[in-house]
Each structure stands twice: as C-alpha cells, then as structure tokens.
Amino acid sequence: MRITCPHCGDRDSREFSYKGHALALERPVPEAGAEAWDDYVHLRENPAGETRDLWHHHFGCGAWLVVTRNTLTHEVLGCELASEARR
C-alpha cells in the first residue's frame, strides 16, 4: 500500500505507523460525562469499506496524518495532515 504524505510525497506504508480510527480527533469535552468518555475510549467501529484512520509518518517527517482508505480494496483515497482534518 502506498500513502502520499503531504510533506514527503508518495511513500511505502512501511514508513508509517497505524494509530487507529480518526475518531481520536473528535475527543469529547472534559464535561461531557462518563457515558460519552466511556464510548470514546472503548467503542470502535470496524467498517467494511471506506474509513478514516490516524497514521504517523514514523520513518519520515514525523507528521500525523488522516488517511482515507477502503478496507476491502486497500485503496488509499486521500491523505491530509491531522491538523488540517480537525478544522
């Protein structure tokens, strides 16, 4: 699988570390309550198809990325800096 880093260009996925679903960018506010935090920490989807995931360019520039990909075909549909994806 190839990932196009916004800083470094097209790279092999072995340069990156998978860090999970991009849900981590949607953290509840501290006052959200125990149920919201429990869901955030423990519940994860396992979609068949398109997903948005956090990746770290560990052996490259060190950027945190949100990679949109298809879990059935392994096709990478897009890649953006995590800081841009939060906006």
Side-chain angles (χ1 to χ4, degrees), residues 26-38 40:
E26 301 164 12
R27 181 188 316 219
V29 295
E31 306 81 31
E35 186 176 343
W37 277 99
D38 186 61
Y40 172 75

Side-chain angles (χ1 to χ4, degrees), residues 18-52:
Y18 174 78
K19 297 299 182 181
H21 193 273
L23 174 69
L25 295 175
E26 301 164 12
R27 181 188 316 219
V29 295
E31 306 81 31
E35 186 176 343
W37 277 99
D38 186 61
D39 289 351
Y40 172 75
V41 171
H42 300 290
L43 299 181
R44 295 288 181 261
E45 293 182 14
N46 188 16
E50 191 173 311
T51 186
R52 293 177 72 228

Side-chain angles (χ1 to χ4, degrees), residues 11-83:
R11 297 289 194 256
D12 189 279
S13 62
R14 291 175 288 190
E15 287 189 16
F16 300 84
S17 299
Y18 174 78
K19 297 299 182 181
H21 193 273
L23 174 69
L25 295 175
E26 301 164 12
R27 181 188 316 219
V29 295
E31 306 81 31
E35 186 176 343
W37 277 99
D38 186 61
D39 289 351
Y40 172 75
V41 171
H42 300 290
L43 299 181
R44 295 288 181 261
E45 293 182 14
N46 188 16
E50 191 173 311
T51 186
R52 293 177 72 228
D53 303 314
L54 274 176
W55 291 72
H56 181 243
H57 197 175
H58 185 74
F59 292 113
C61 64
W64 285 92
L65 308 170
V66 174
V67 176
T68 304
R69 64 189 182 94
N70 186 313
T71 60
L72 297 173
T73 65
H74 301 289
E75 178 185 10
V76 174
L77 305 169
C79 182
E80 61 186 322
L81 296 171
S83 59

